[in-house]
């Protein structure tokens, strides 16, 4: 099959719509179930490239949770701690396979943004991963294959209409890629940059001590940024993205947005949030929404009389700004990646507030000296890659 007709494009009024191979060759994908749409395929192809590169760079199975052509989360398959299993709502599933751990981490990084995601998996989808996917609100999944048990589980999702795509993991795209905007064709060479140890060798700070896990996390950050709409910044810790800021016109706004998401990820592990007692039968999405509001400035919306009873068995105490600041101070050894240089040191100051210790960025700003000076002030390790990673 070299063409798949789609219901419509980005919006229902954009017809006709299809994906196809211009050279007449077969598409590298098969739709095993459902009817994926235009945006589904954009998410699927971008997500697949991300996880394929993550696995190649780390040797670990990888997963990503995509929304609106940018990842909400990305991770490799490291085991989950009891705390992470609980905040990701998978503590009832027992020990999970490495691939399922990767998706639990990718989905759990920013569960609010991952609601209704499109999933990409680097490896054949197993039963553990399918079982996790089956109970989440998701539009579809792409993987190089599916076990029989995984297919059975996924086929039961969304009344049998869940989008399941299989991709040929050996497919190699053409070196030149093209797209049209306003009737004009754009052409460029594919971004085949390999993100490896050599790219992370130019230390510009006084501290040059980069532990193995921090190096892995740097690779995760940069590969994630390679498929995130620019401008973009990514915070990573322990094998997973914990905050992604995408599509902002200002880099400091990327850093703040991603930093706030990273803070929320860590705040979810606090005793105040872990101790919340939800009413019986409250779904995961409603719990996620309640936690998000409870941790934020609008906490009164879920704590006022008549509202807290809808969500909690016991009215929670206010999570004060002082308590949140004290808890966040315990978050350390976070990695920060940026798809382009930091033009001002305010980005470093903001990153420090979210526990950043290691930074990978292209460098090349006229104010590099001030950015390095700020990083040295906090004894950070910063690498200049010399490579920009814009994606549009």
């Amino acid at each position: 099959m070299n063409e798949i007709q789609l219901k419509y494009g980005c919006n229902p009024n954009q017809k006709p719509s299809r994906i196809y191979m211009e050279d007449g060759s077969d598409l590298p994908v098969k739709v095993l179930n459902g009817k994926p749409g235009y945006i589904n395929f954009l998410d699927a192809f971008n997500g697949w490239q991300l996880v394929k590169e993550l696995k190649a760079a780390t040797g670990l199975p990888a997963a990503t949770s995509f929304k609106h052509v940018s990842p909400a989360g990305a991770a490799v398959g490291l085991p989950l701690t009891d705390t992470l299993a609980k905040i990701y709502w998978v503590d009832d599933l027992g020990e999970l396979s490495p691939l399922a751990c990767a998706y639990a981490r990718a989905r759990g990084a920013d569960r609010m943004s991952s609601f209704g995601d499109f999933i990409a998996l680097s490896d054949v989808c197993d039963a553990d991963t399918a079982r996790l996917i089956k109970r989440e609100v998701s539009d579809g999944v792409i993987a190089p294959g599916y076990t029989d048990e995984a297919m059975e589980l996924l086929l039961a999702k969304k009344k049998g209409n869940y989008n399941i795509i299989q991709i040929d993991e050996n497919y190699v795209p053409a070196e030149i890629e093209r797209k049209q905007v306003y009737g004009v064709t754009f052409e460029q060479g594919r971004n085949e940059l390999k993100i490896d140890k050599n790219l992370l060798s130019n230390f510009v700070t006084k501290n040059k001590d980069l532990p193995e896990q921090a190096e892995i996390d740097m690779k995760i950050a940069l590969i994630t940024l390679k498929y995130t709409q620019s401008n973009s910044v990514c915070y990573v810790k322990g094998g997973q993205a914990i905050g992604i800021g995408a599509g902002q016109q200002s880099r400091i706004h990327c850093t703040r947005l991603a930093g706030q998401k990273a803070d929320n990820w860590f705040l979810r592990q606090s005793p105040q949030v872990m101790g919340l007692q939800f009413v019986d039968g409250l779904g995961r999405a409603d719990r996620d929404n309640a936690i998000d509001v409870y941790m934020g400035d609008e906490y009164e919306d879920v704590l006022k009389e008549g509202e807290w009873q809808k969500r909690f068995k016991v009215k929670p105490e206010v999570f004060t700004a002082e308590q949140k600041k004290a808890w966040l101070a315990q978050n350390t050894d976070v990695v920060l990646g940026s798809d382009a240089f930091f033009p001002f040191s305010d980005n470093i100051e903001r990153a420090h507030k979210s526990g950043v210790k290691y930074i990978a960025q292209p460098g090349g700003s006229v104010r590099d000296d001030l950015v390095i000076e700020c990083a040295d002030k906090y004894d950070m390790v910063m690498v200049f890659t010399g490579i920009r990673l814009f994606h549009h």
Side-chain angles (χ1 to χ4, degrees):
M1 179 180 291
N2 68 358
E3 175 180 302
I4 296 176
Q5 293 289 333
L6 307 176
K7 191 174 182 180
Y8 50 76
C10 285
N11 299 290
N13 63 297
Q14 292 179 270
K15 301 176 181 179
S17 177
R18 62 173 175 158
I19 63 169
Y20 66 102
M21 302 297 283
E22 280 188 312
D23 62 3
S25 62
D26 288 339
L27 284 162
V29 293
K30 295 179 181 178
V31 177
L32 304 182
N33 194 66
K35 295 181 179 179
Y38 191 96
I39 296 174
N40 291 151
F41 273 114
L42 288 176
D43 285 343
F45 290 135
N46 278 282
W48 166 249
Q49 292 175 84
L50 194 163
V51 297
K52 183 179 181 180
E53 291 188 30
L54 271 187
K55 184 177 182 181
T58 66
L60 297 166
T64 186
S65 170
F66 253 69
K67 281 288 292 292
H68 296 291
V69 205
S70 280
V76 293
L78 297 174
L80 297 172
T81 63
D82 290 344
T83 296
L84 290 181
K86 184 173 182 180
I87 70 169
Y88 297 161
W89 311 126
V90 298
D91 53 321
D92 62 323
L93 294 178
E95 187 174 351
L96 296 173
S97 69
L99 185 64
C101 287
Y103 179 60
R105 288 174 174 274
R107 175 85 182 200
D110 182 3
R111 287 187 58 85
M112 294 285 288
S113 296
S114 287
F115 185 84
D117 64 351
F118 207 96
I119 302 159
L121 306 172
S122 65
D123 292 33
V124 171
C125 181
D126 56 21
D128 277 359
T129 309
R131 198 170 291 114
L132 197 165
I133 292 171
K134 185 176 184 293
R135 65 187 200 174
E136 298 288 6
V137 176
S138 168
D139 275 0
V141 59
I142 185 170
Y146 302 83
T147 67
D148 290 343
E149 188 177 356
M151 275 299 293
E152 184 178 351
L153 288 162
L154 295 175
L155 287 171
K157 187 173 173 62
K158 295 183 76 169
K159 299 180 179 179
N161 295 315
Y162 189 61
N163 293 315
I164 306 172
I165 301 173
Q166 182 175 3
I167 186 161
D168 178 3
E169 58 186 328
N170 297 314
Y171 167 68
V172 177
E175 294 181 0
I176 299 297
E177 57 186 16
R178 302 175 182 86
K179 69 177 180 178
Q180 285 194 342
V181 178
Y182 201 53
V184 177
T185 299
F186 289 62
E187 181 177 283
Q188 65 176 354
R190 278 181 47 78
N191 187 358
E192 298 287 7
L193 175 71
K194 186 176 182 181
I195 294 173
D196 55 18
K197 190 179 184 71
N198 292 331
L199 196 67
L200 306 175
S201 60
N202 182 20
F203 294 91
V204 295
T205 46
K206 294 176 182 176
N207 189 345
K208 306 179 192 303
D209 182 17
L210 186 66
E212 183 180 1
Q213 184 59 57
E215 182 181 307
I216 291 172
D217 288 349
M218 276 190 179
K219 292 176 182 177
I220 293 171
L222 295 178
I223 292 170
T224 299
L225 291 169
K226 192 177 174 186
Y227 298 100
T228 303
Q229 300 300 303
S230 300
N231 287 325
S232 57
V233 161
C234 180
Y235 292 67
V236 176
K237 184 173 182 177
Q240 68 170 94
I242 61 173
I244 301 171
Q248 302 302 302
Q249 291 80 8
S250 163
R251 188 148 305 273
I252 184 59
H253 289 135
C254 291
T255 306
R256 290 172 184 164
L257 174 61
Q260 184 59 58
K261 290 184 176 186
D263 290 348
N264 286 347
W265 173 82
F266 196 68
L267 287 171
R268 286 193 67 154
Q269 302 172 57
S270 66
Q272 288 86 345
V273 176
M274 296 280 286
L276 292 173
Q277 299 180 48
F278 295 102
V279 296
D280 295 337
L282 192 70
R284 285 182 300 280
D286 289 322
R287 281 178 271 168
D288 289 330
N289 290 337
I291 289 171
D292 188 72
V293 177
Y294 173 70
M295 295 188 305
D297 295 334
E298 309 293 328
Y299 61 87
E300 290 182 354
D301 288 353
V302 294
L303 296 186
K304 62 187 176 184
E305 195 63 27
E307 289 298 325
W308 72 262
Q309 293 93 335
K310 299 176 183 177
R311 301 167 178 85
F312 308 108
K313 293 179 179 178
V314 178
K315 183 178 180 180
E317 295 291 329
V318 173
F319 197 174
T320 67
E322 292 76 15
Q323 289 173 323
K324 287 187 279 190
K325 184 176 181 181
W327 178 257
L328 289 172
Q330 301 177 56
N331 193 16
T332 58
D333 297 330
V334 177
V335 165
L336 173 65
S338 178
D339 68 353
F341 63 66
F342 287 127
F344 299 100
S345 60
D346 54 356
N347 292 276
I348 309 302
E349 295 285 357
R350 177 61 189 86
H352 171 67
K353 293 177 181 178
S354 292
V356 169
K357 177 73 173 179
Y358 310 98
I359 297 175
Q361 61 131 325
S365 167
V366 295
R367 299 179 185 83
D368 275 348
D369 57 338
L370 298 178
V371 173
I372 295 169
E373 180 182 336
C374 189
D376 280 334
K377 179 173 70 172
Y378 295 118
D379 194 33
M380 293 178 176
V381 177
M382 186 157 63
V383 172
F384 278 4
T385 66
I387 299 291
R388 197 176 73 180
L389 293 171
F390 279 174
H391 181 65
H392 292 287

